[in-house]
């Protein structure tokens, strides 16, 4: 299952919802899809959807879904990462009337090298992001928890002036 969430920001995110619906219509996405549409104007025709869902339902959808596509709101995609999943993050962009500025793009660029996530800035690349996640599933992945712990240990070692080299 694919879960798409655009958050609760009061501006539309039609660009993402239309693309997911198009991919489902053209059978490029064969999984079941559920979209939380927020204040978007576009109503999906080929995917299940609800405008706003409860926090509990959102967490359940994240837990049960194989792929999570989310806007660039830090609380949302970091919540996906905290559950050990690799999110596909599509930041809202000012030029499309999706937000008042490009802070989502800026934040995602800052954390991209720290966390395991797929970022889509050009919506026509969404299917390749989905394919990338599908290919990774079933393979040995470096999870966000492992990556966090490695980075955290490195930071502690740097602060303490020690290295992560073991005596043999």
């Amino acid at each position: 299952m694919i879960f798409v969430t655009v958050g609760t920001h009061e501006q539309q995110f039609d660009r993402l919802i239309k693309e997911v619906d198009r991919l489902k219509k053209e059978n490029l996405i064969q999984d079941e899809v559920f979209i939380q549409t927020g204040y978007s104007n576009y109503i999906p025709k080929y995917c299940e959807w609800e405008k706003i869902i409860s926090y509990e339902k959102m967490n359940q959808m994240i837990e049960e879904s194989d792929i999570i596509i989310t806007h660039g709101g830090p609380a949302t995609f970091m919540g996906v990462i905290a559950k050990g999943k690799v999110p596909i993050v599509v930041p809202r962009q000012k030029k499309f009337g999706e937000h008042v500025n490009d802070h989502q793009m800026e934040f995602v660029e800052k954390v991209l090298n720290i966390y395991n996530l797929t970022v889509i800035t050009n919506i026509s690349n969404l299917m390749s992001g989905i394919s990338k996640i599908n290919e990774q599933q079933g393979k040995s992945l470096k999870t966000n928890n492992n990556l966090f712990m490695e980075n955290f240990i490195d930071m502690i070692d740097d602060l303490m002036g020690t290295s992560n080299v073991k005596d043999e």
Side-chain angles (χ1 to χ4, degrees):
M1 174 170 205
I2 297 175
F3 173 53
V4 181
T5 178
V6 303
T8 57
H9 181 70
E10 62 273 2
Q11 287 174 284
Q12 57 77 28
F13 202 178
D14 293 342
R15 179 172 60 105
L16 174 58
I17 298 167
K18 284 179 184 178
E19 181 64 5
V20 172
D21 207 37
R22 180 189 74 78
L23 294 171
K24 182 68 176 163
K25 173 188 175 189
E26 294 179 10
N27 210 28
L28 295 170
I29 293 177
Q30 297 179 351
D31 299 88
E32 196 177 317
V33 178
F34 182 88
I35 305 173
Q36 177 266 316
T37 63
Y39 292 95
S40 299
N41 301 312
Y42 181 80
I43 297 173
K45 297 170 186 69
Y46 304 95
C47 304
E48 290 185 49
W49 65 277
E50 285 182 42
K51 191 173 188 80
I52 303 292
I53 59 175
S54 69
Y55 182 74
E56 292 78 19
K57 183 169 183 173
M58 184 169 107
N59 281 324
Q60 178 186 357
M61 298 298 290
I62 291 169
E63 291 284 343
E64 294 175 358
S65 296
D66 299 310
I67 295 175
I68 297 98
I69 302 170
T70 177
H71 65 117
T76 305
F77 76 77
M78 294 300 282
V80 174
I81 289 170
K83 291 183 178 4
K85 303 222 176 174
V86 178
I88 296 174
V89 181
V90 184
R92 291 173 175 265
Q93 296 181 40
K94 180 181 178 181
K95 69 182 177 183
F96 297 114
E98 298 162 349
H99 220 304
V100 297
N101 59 32
D102 285 327
H103 73 278
Q104 289 190 357
M105 293 277 293
E106 294 163 7
F107 186 77
V108 166
E109 288 171 2
K110 293 209 182 302
V111 301
L112 185 55
N113 294 324
I114 301 170
Y115 295 103
N116 187 12
L117 51 97
T118 298
V119 178
I120 304 295
T121 56
N122 182 337
I123 203 67
S124 64
N125 294 330
L126 183 60
M127 191 62 220
S128 65
I130 293 169
S131 296
K132 177 182 170 187
I133 299 294
N134 278 332
E135 288 171 13
Q136 290 176 346
Q137 290 179 349
K139 295 181 182 176
S140 177
L141 284 180
K142 182 169 274 196
T143 68
N144 284 307
N145 290 338
N146 291 341
L147 195 58
F148 172 81
M149 289 307 295
E150 287 175 13
N151 288 333
F152 187 64
I153 290 166
D154 289 344
M155 285 190 298
I156 290 172
D157 287 342
D158 287 345
L159 289 171
M160 306 266 310
T162 60
S163 68
N164 204 9
V165 178
K166 296 179 181 175
D167 293 331
E168 296 190 25

